[in-house]
Structure formats: C-alpha cells, structure tokens
Amino acid sequence: MLFLYGPFLLMELLDSSLYYSEEVDIGSFDYNSVLTKAEKAGYEVEGSWPWPGNFSGFEPGDVPEVRENFGSAVLVQNIRLNYKDDSELMVFVCENGTETGIRTCIAVSNFSHSDPESPLQLSEFPDDSWMLEKLGLLFGSDEKASEKYLEALKKAAQNQTWDAEIQVKESPDFPAVHAYLTENSDDSSYDNYVLGFYGGPDIGSDTKEVFFKDGNQVGSVSYFVPKAGVVTFDKGNRYTGNKYIVELDSSGKVRLEIIMHVGSVGESIPEKKYRAFFREMFEEIGLPPEAVDNFEFLHTSLMM
C-alpha cells in the first residue's frame, strides 16, 4: 500500500503550505450522528467510521463518568481484576465472537509462570473464593454459574499453555464492575496512546484506566475511543483546491487542519476566509459553529 500510494501522499504535502491547530475540547457531541451527517452532506470520512468498521469491545452501559470522559461511542476493550501481585482475571471480546455468537473470553494468568510452553498449574490460580466472587461480579451470575465457569477454567488449564481461557455467551456487567473498582480503590490514573495505520488516518486511541488501593493495582479497564477525519476541498477539486480537515474523536476533542494545494509555498489564506469555511463545515455536520473561534492556527510550508 505504501509503494502504491506513498508518492501521492507525499505529493499532497510537499511544496504546500499548511495551517493547523492544537487539539481543543469543544464539549460532548454525538460522534456517530456527526459522521452520519458529514457523509450525507458529501464530505469524505476517514478513520474508524465507517471504515475499517466496528472495533471489538463491550458497550459500557450506564456509567456517566465514562460517557462524560470518552463520549457516546466509546467501547470497553478488556477488564482486568488483579489478585495480589502475581495473577489476574481478564475478560475481553473473543476474536471469533462475531462469527460464532460466542462473545466473551475469560482468562486467568499468573505473572510468575515462567515457561510459556507449559500449562498453568492449579496452584497458580487465585483462591477459589476470590474467583467465585469476581466471576459473580462480572456476569451477575448465581453461585452455580460462577462455579461452572471456574471448573471450566481449571479444566482448560490442563490443555492449554501459559494461561487458562474459556469462551462464554454472556457479556460482562460493566457498570457493576466499574462501581466495584471505584469503591475499592483510593487512586486511579489514565494512560493512553494513539492508534493509526501507517500512511493513513488515526483511527482512535487506547486509554487505560488503572485503579489502586494502598499503592497496589486492584484492576484496570482498557477503552477504545474512536477517531475520524471529516475532509473536503474548496473549489470542489482535490487537485487544485485546498484540503480542509476536521479531526475529531468521540470524547469531544477536535483538531483543524488545512493542506493547501501543491505549489502553494509562500501563499496564504485570509483568516476570515478559512474560519468562515470551518464554521460552515461545523454547521453542516452538527458541531457548534461558534466553537471555531476557540482554535488558534499555525502556518507553515513544506518544501521539497
């Protein structure tokens, strides 16, 4: 892909002038609705919607703090519950879940297990009482269902290497899990990094929320925050027009960029003109036009 399309990507940037802003939080908006309106209005949409499609994850349900921080389109990628310092219970969407109808993988790992080619020993499992409690928390199941899952994990450990993993049809009760982690921790922190394809747009970010009690990690949640770019060209022509980009993610963060036409080094666009253009874009895709006033733009040139 880089061999085929790389020269065209470079031609778009070299010998061009560039306007760009820092990222600004403009407040909450309906991510999917904005991108749907953008597509209907004739804009190009790049990123995690509509391509490359839906990413694996659980809907977070009614957790106001998560919706407020990451927006309506956020997905929960995995949940980890830590047992002491050396082992954990994790749930995540199975890779083959959409094909088989089995959505959730449950895995037990022990960080002290040194041989990746050998099975996990039952002595390396967390205590049964802890496992039954956490399985009940995750799936809201009765005692018999939790016991069934635990026995299945112990059986799987005999036939697998490194960890023990099973698949179930139930999705985790994320609101209950998040409430438990919040109530049983005295500190938390966020780590995040941007996801993207080489030579292509960013598709979102992975954000990990880690919960601590007395300095020890009690659990963590990994979220996927989708990101996309809404793109158009003034003059209606990608070869002679200037490329306007509204880059946004579901948490409410927006960044603006203008890549001027090839050969535009030394040229500029009146600020009044490009701000008016962005305001029109915002209005058509369902973002508040007045928010454009909050962006400060830098201007530079890229030369061969």
Side-chain angles (χ1 to χ4, degrees):
M1 288 181 64
L2 185 60
F3 176 79
L4 290 173
Y5 299 110
F8 299 100
L9 294 171
L10 290 174
M11 284 181 62
E12 184 179 32
L13 292 174
L14 297 177
D15 286 346
S16 298
S17 287
L18 177 72
Y19 287 85
Y20 62 95
S21 76
E22 296 294 330
E23 198 172 59
V24 173
D25 190 338
I26 67 169
S28 62
F29 54 79
D30 189 324
Y31 178 83
N32 290 325
S33 175
V34 165
L35 298 184
T36 299
K37 288 180 180 179
E39 191 177 55
K40 288 182 178 179
Y43 293 102
E44 297 178 22
V45 179
E46 303 174 342
S48 62
W49 188 100
W51 181 87
N54 295 324
F55 288 80
S56 295
F58 305 108
E59 293 290 338
D62 186 17
V63 184
E65 178 185 344
V66 172
R67 295 293 188 188
E68 181 179 341
N69 288 337
F70 305 120
S72 59
V74 64
L75 294 174
V76 176
Q77 290 187 307
N78 63 64
I79 303 167
R80 298 172 184 264
L81 301 175
N82 298 98
Y83 177 74
K84 298 183 178 179
D85 295 328
D86 60 354
S87 56
E88 69 177 15
L89 177 65
M90 178 170 71
V91 296
F92 55 95
V93 174
C94 305
E95 291 183 5
N96 61 348
T98 55
E99 297 177 1
T100 65
I102 300 174
R103 287 187 48 81
T104 306
C105 281
I106 308 174
V108 177
S109 302
N110 190 305
F111 311 128
S112 300
H113 187 72
S114 58
D115 184 1
E117 300 299 323
S118 68
L120 190 68
Q121 301 300 306
L122 296 185
S123 61
E124 297 176 298
F125 269 61
D127 288 343
D128 284 2
S129 59
W130 186 91
M131 286 288 295
L132 292 171
E133 177 188 346
K134 298 306 181 286
L135 289 168
L137 169 69
L138 285 162
F139 299 103
S141 54
D142 57 31
E143 187 176 344
K144 288 185 178 180
S146 297
E147 290 175 350
K148 179 181 175 181
Y149 291 157
L150 179 55
E151 288 304 313
L153 283 164
K154 289 181 177 181
K155 185 177 180 179
Q158 301 172 21
N159 303 312
Q160 299 172 359
T161 57
W162 185 247
D163 62 7
E165 183 178 308
I166 62 171
Q167 298 184 358
V168 300
K169 294 181 180 180
E170 291 77 18
S171 295
D173 183 351
F174 181 71
V177 174
H178 194 270
Y180 165 83
L181 290 171
T182 301
E183 293 168 3
N184 289 274
S185 62
D186 53 26
D187 192 18
S188 64
S189 64
Y190 289 102
D191 295 320
N192 71 310
Y193 58 92
V194 173
L195 300 172
F197 292 111
Y198 190 80
D202 294 339
I203 59 174
S205 63
D206 269 350
T207 299
K208 186 176 181 181
E209 185 177 14
V210 186
F211 298 85
F212 301 92
K213 178 70 171 180
D214 298 328
N216 298 312
Q217 184 171 318
V218 296
S220 66
V221 179
S222 290
Y223 305 97
F224 173 70
V225 183
K227 188 174 189 176
V230 177
V231 180
T232 192
F233 296 82
D234 63 4
K235 303 179 183 179
N237 190 310
R238 69 170 54 247
Y239 301 106
T240 60
N242 300 317
K243 183 177 182 180
Y244 284 75
I245 305 168
V246 177
E247 187 180 87
L248 52 89
D249 70 27
S250 72
S251 71
K253 296 182 177 64
V254 178
R255 180 178 173 275
L256 305 180
E257 187 174 5
I258 308 167
I259 301 175
M260 295 183 67
H261 59 86
V262 175
S264 60
V265 171
E267 298 182 16
S268 62
I269 307 172
E271 181 177 354
K272 184 177 180 180
K273 181 178 180 179
Y274 65 69
R275 286 191 183 274
F277 196 98
F278 276 124
R279 287 191 190 96
E280 183 177 350
M281 287 185 70
F282 272 43
E283 186 168 11
E284 290 187 338
I285 66 179
L287 296 177
E290 61 274 12
V292 174
D293 296 336
N294 298 326
F295 292 83
E296 296 294 332
F297 289 88
L298 299 174
H299 182 209
T300 187
S301 296
L302 301 171
M303 299 180 61
M304 282 183 139

